[in-house]
Amino acid sequence: MKKIIFLLLGFVYLNLVNAQDKPYLIRLHYGEVEGDIEAFIKASQEFYKKLAKLAVEEGKWDGWQMWQSQNHKNQFMFIHHYKNPKQFESWNSSDWLSESSQKKVKVKYPDHSNYKIKFPRGYELFQITSTVLSGTQSDYYVINKYSTSDPVVFIKNHDLWGDMMVKPKLEQNPGMNFAAGIKLLYDGTNEVNYNGISFDGFSSLATLIENQAYFKEKWDNPNGELQKFMKAADQASLSNFAENKKSSFWKVLGSTWD
């Protein structure tokens, strides 16, 4: 088993983390399904989601989400939310699935005979450092992962993005949500360490595609919002925050906020 180690990126990074009284944490857990995908989704929504909601009510964690990859439909991501490190530390991964919890919400362990679920990758733990939320849930997300040697610049860049590129659009775009954060734990492999993450949420697939598409007014206009952001980021020395980037595309299937 790969040894889990802390990501140490200098005293500035450590001071940034320690200075926060209650850093909000999310843990990403990836699964791959072989067999009947729809049966797995149904079991997750009718069994695991109900137990996750009970765990929130009992203060064991702050939330649970289930997303399906739109690049590979048999791949899923579960996002576990924690209000602070103490809640994360006290979390018992088996307790929320206990028989007593199942009795409380009146569910029975689902039949897994039509599919198999494997978890090929370990957990990833991130601290959420930037958020701009509309109050309406998103149906689709683009996740961007970055490899950054300067988490402080990464955080400030995404704070600026939220202020300039997301906040002004919230009233006209319900379901638009944005968050970004830095990874606190990683597995210590020789692969690229994507230690920065951002989430761009959209109300529909059409809205997501329109946002990604090229429009002359959006990309080429020197007075356009994107150009203004790029200028502001350059002036604040916040442009060069990542050496590598990769993106993925997800559909929200359920959460404890439904």
Side-chain angles (χ1 to χ4, degrees):
M1 181 180 293
K2 297 174 182 175
K3 183 179 180 182
I4 300 298
I5 62 176
F6 280 99
L7 175 64
L8 304 178
L9 288 175
F11 291 109
V12 173
Y13 173 72
L14 288 175
N15 289 335
L16 173 68
V17 174
N18 292 331
Q20 308 227 8
D21 182 35
K22 294 182 179 180
Y24 194 88
L25 307 176
I26 62 168
R27 183 173 64 178
L28 308 186
H29 194 197
Y30 302 92
E32 294 183 3
V33 175
E34 295 178 358
D36 192 337
I37 293 175
E38 292 303 317
F40 168 75
I41 293 173
K42 182 179 180 181
S44 297
Q45 293 176 334
E46 295 181 353
F47 180 77
Y48 296 104
K49 178 180 173 181
K50 290 182 179 180
L51 290 171
K53 283 188 172 184
L54 176 63
V56 171
E57 293 171 3
E58 295 178 342
K60 295 176 181 177
W61 58 10
D62 199 45
W64 171 97
Q65 293 172 292
M66 176 184 179
W67 296 3
Q68 181 183 29
S69 170
Q70 300 302 287
N71 306 95
H72 307 281
K73 293 295 183 73
N74 71 319
Q75 296 181 7
F76 297 83
M77 178 171 62
F78 299 91
I79 307 178
H80 306 161
H81 293 246
Y82 303 90
K83 292 180 179 179
N84 51 55
K86 186 172 289 187
Q87 189 180 53
F88 173 77
E89 183 180 23
S90 62
W91 171 255
N92 186 327
S93 60
S94 60
D95 180 56
W96 73 294
L97 301 175
S98 66
E99 288 187 12
S100 60
S101 295
Q102 293 178 38
K103 290 179 180 179
K104 287 180 182 178
V105 294
K106 299 179 181 179
V107 295
K108 293 184 179 180
Y109 199 76
D111 178 12
H112 292 322
S113 60
N114 292 336
Y115 59 84
K116 293 181 180 179
I117 175 72
K118 20 179 221 185
F119 300 96
R121 295 155 58 185
Y123 293 106
E124 293 181 305
L125 183 69
F126 289 88
Q127 175 189 350
I128 296 301
T129 56
S130 308
T131 56
V132 179
L133 307 177
S134 67
T136 302
Q137 292 195 61
S138 303
D139 288 335
Y140 290 87
Y141 276 90
V142 172
I143 296 180
N144 299 302
K145 287 189 173 183
Y146 304 88
S147 173
T148 177
S149 59
D150 194 334
V152 174
V153 173
F154 172 86
I155 291 168
K156 290 182 177 180
N157 177 284
H158 284 77
D159 282 343
L160 185 65
W161 177 270
D163 288 338
M164 294 187 65
M165 300 296 291
V166 183
K167 282 184 181 179
K169 302 177 183 177
L170 292 186
E171 289 188 9
Q172 288 74 34
N173 295 276
M176 172 181 282
N177 295 288
F178 165 77
I182 50 174
K183 187 185 290 185
L184 301 183
L185 298 176
Y186 78 116
D187 61 10
T189 67
N190 293 323
E191 299 175 358
V192 173
N193 176 35
Y194 290 97
N195 55 323
I197 193 169
S198 68
F199 302 85
D200 295 298
F202 302 91
S203 60
S204 66
L205 178 57
T207 304
L208 185 154
I209 293 174
E210 289 171 358
N211 181 79
Q212 303 291 97
Y214 170 80
F215 294 99
K216 184 176 180 180
E217 298 79 6
K218 175 181 176 182
W219 296 95
D220 299 340
N221 183 0
N223 295 316
E225 59 182 15
L226 183 60
Q227 296 299 326
K228 288 181 179 178
F229 166 78
M230 293 172 63
K231 182 179 180 180
D234 286 341
Q235 290 176 341
S237 300
L238 300 177
S239 296
N240 298 319
F241 62 84
E243 292 78 40
N244 297 281
K245 174 185 176 183
K246 65 178 182 179
S247 300
S248 54
F249 166 35
W250 300 82
K251 181 179 180 179
V252 180
L253 297 184
S255 79
T256 51
W257 292 279
D258 292 345

